Amino acid sequence: MLECDALEKQLCDVNQKRREQRVKFMVLAVASVCVFLLIWQLIVISGVVNVRNLPSPAQIFKAFITKLTSKSPDGNTLGMNILASLQVSLTGFFAALIIGVPLGLLMGWFEPVDRFVRPIFELIRPIPPIAWIPVVVIFMGIGIQAKATIIFLAVFVSCVINAYTGIRMTDKTLINVAKTFGAGNVETFFKIGIPSAMPMVFAGIRVSLGSAWSTLVAAEMLAAHAGLGYMLQTGRNVGKAEIVVLAMVTIAALGAVMSGLLTLIERRVLKWKMTR
């Protein structure tokens, strides 16, 4: 009983230290952002950089407040642009995850699937995502389906490669132990292969998240009527640097939020790995 109490106390101490460490890291992160904004503001105030070329954080905040209700200069409020970009990016992103991750896992584990899919995949893989934009626009126009398809193509390759690599790195000892206890190939795939591949799968998803946003902005700059990329391009065309920077800051903020959510999901799914 005493041993159990001592173990529980030790676990509580470990959890407390982890919480304190997370708070410390959060404070450091907030401090770094504040220092960056302060330096930015001082550079603009001192006249080192022309305000027309680089608006101050105060001007960006003012533009943010105005853009919440104003549709100038791109014809959409900030909220409308954010919703348009999220709709496109999440549609293409999740479609690529649903198809790309299972395909990569199957290719890495079952050789016939690998032999069948690899020739087509190797033809698609070297093509840059932006190169698909003219082709997709010609066949699908500039609607949400077209832009979501471009995002899909950008995310799909990373998902397949990381899932494939992750499951190929499965410890052979674990596979042999499973076979020794009578597990078949399919059962070993689900109980050993997939869990072992999850760290690499999440690494691929994280890389894909960045690819999705960069490709989305490029797609919206070339063919769109709404979205953060369209807002950025319109701001550049009319010479409003604060609109351009506001679009960039919004994209960065949304990317950070989505990355944070992905980290939380990863901690839940890979709890066994985090506690080792």
Side-chain angles (χ1 to χ4, degrees):
M1 187 71 178
L2 292 173
E3 289 181 2
C4 290
D5 291 340
L7 183 60
E8 286 180 7
K9 186 179 178 182
Q10 193 174 16
L11 288 172
C12 288
D13 291 340
V14 170
N15 290 330
Q16 181 66 25
K17 286 181 181 179
R18 284 180 179 174
R19 281 194 292 269
E20 290 175 357
Q21 196 173 34
R22 285 176 188 171
V23 171
K24 201 178 291 184
F25 287 155
M26 192 177 296
V27 171
L28 284 172
V30 172
S32 69
V33 173
C34 291
V35 170
F36 173 76
L37 292 174
L38 179 61
I39 293 172
W40 180 359
Q41 183 74 27
L42 291 174
I43 288 174
V44 175
I45 291 174
S46 63
V48 175
V49 179
N50 193 327
V51 180
R52 285 189 173 183
N53 298 329
L54 181 65
S56 67
Q59 288 175 295
I60 303 302
F61 182 73
K62 184 179 178 182
F64 167 73
I65 298 299
T66 303
K67 193 64 180 159
L68 288 174
T69 55
S70 174
K71 293 186 177 182
S72 176
D74 54 279
N76 305 287
T77 63
L78 181 61
M80 292 166 65
N81 284 323
I82 290 173
L83 287 175
S85 291
L86 283 176
Q87 186 179 14
V88 172
S89 62
L90 294 180
T91 301
F93 183 73
F94 283 117
L97 292 189
I98 292 169
I99 298 173
V101 171
L103 181 61
L105 294 172
L106 291 171
M107 287 174 63
W109 193 267
F110 300 101
E111 190 172 350
V113 178
D114 188 23
R115 297 280 182 129
F116 180 76
V117 177
R118 180 176 286 276
I120 301 171
F121 181 74
E122 289 298 332
L123 288 173
I124 296 173
R125 185 171 63 88
I127 303 173
I130 296 176
W132 289 100
I133 294 176
V135 178
V136 173
V137 169
I138 289 171
F139 286 99
M140 302 180 70
I142 60 173
I144 182 174
Q145 295 89 351
K147 293 190 284 291
T149 300
I150 295 167
I151 301 299
F152 172 86
L153 292 167
V155 174
F156 177 74
V157 172
S158 297
C159 289
V160 173
I161 290 175
N162 280 270
Y164 178 89
T165 304
I167 204 163
R168 296 286 289 184
M169 292 170 62
T170 303
D171 192 340
K172 300 296 181 185
T173 303
L174 296 176
I175 296 174
N176 291 333
V177 169
K179 289 180 178 178
T180 301
F181 281 93
N185 192 34
V186 175
E187 187 179 1
T188 306
F189 169 71
F190 282 104
K191 292 185 177 180
I192 303 295
I194 292 178
S196 298
M198 282 299 104
M200 280 295 293
V201 168
F202 274 101
I205 294 172
R206 197 172 295 279
V207 171
S208 300
L209 190 59
S211 300
W213 277 108
S214 59
T215 308
L216 170 70
V217 172
E220 288 181 340
M221 287 175 69
L222 291 175
H225 296 303
L228 294 170
Y230 178 70
M231 173 179 157
L232 190 152
Q233 178 72 354
T234 304
R236 186 186 73 86
N237 290 338
V238 300
K240 289 194 173 185
E242 66 275 13
I243 296 296
V244 173
V245 179
L246 176 60
M248 294 170 64
V249 170
T250 306
I251 291 167
L254 289 173
V257 170
M258 292 179 70
S259 181
L261 291 174
L262 181 61
T263 300
L264 292 175
I265 295 169
E266 184 178 4
R267 283 177 181 167
R268 292 276 184 176
V269 175
L270 301 181
K271 196 172 182 180
W272 56 270
K273 186 174 183 293
M274 301 293 182
T275 54
R276 287 178 61 183

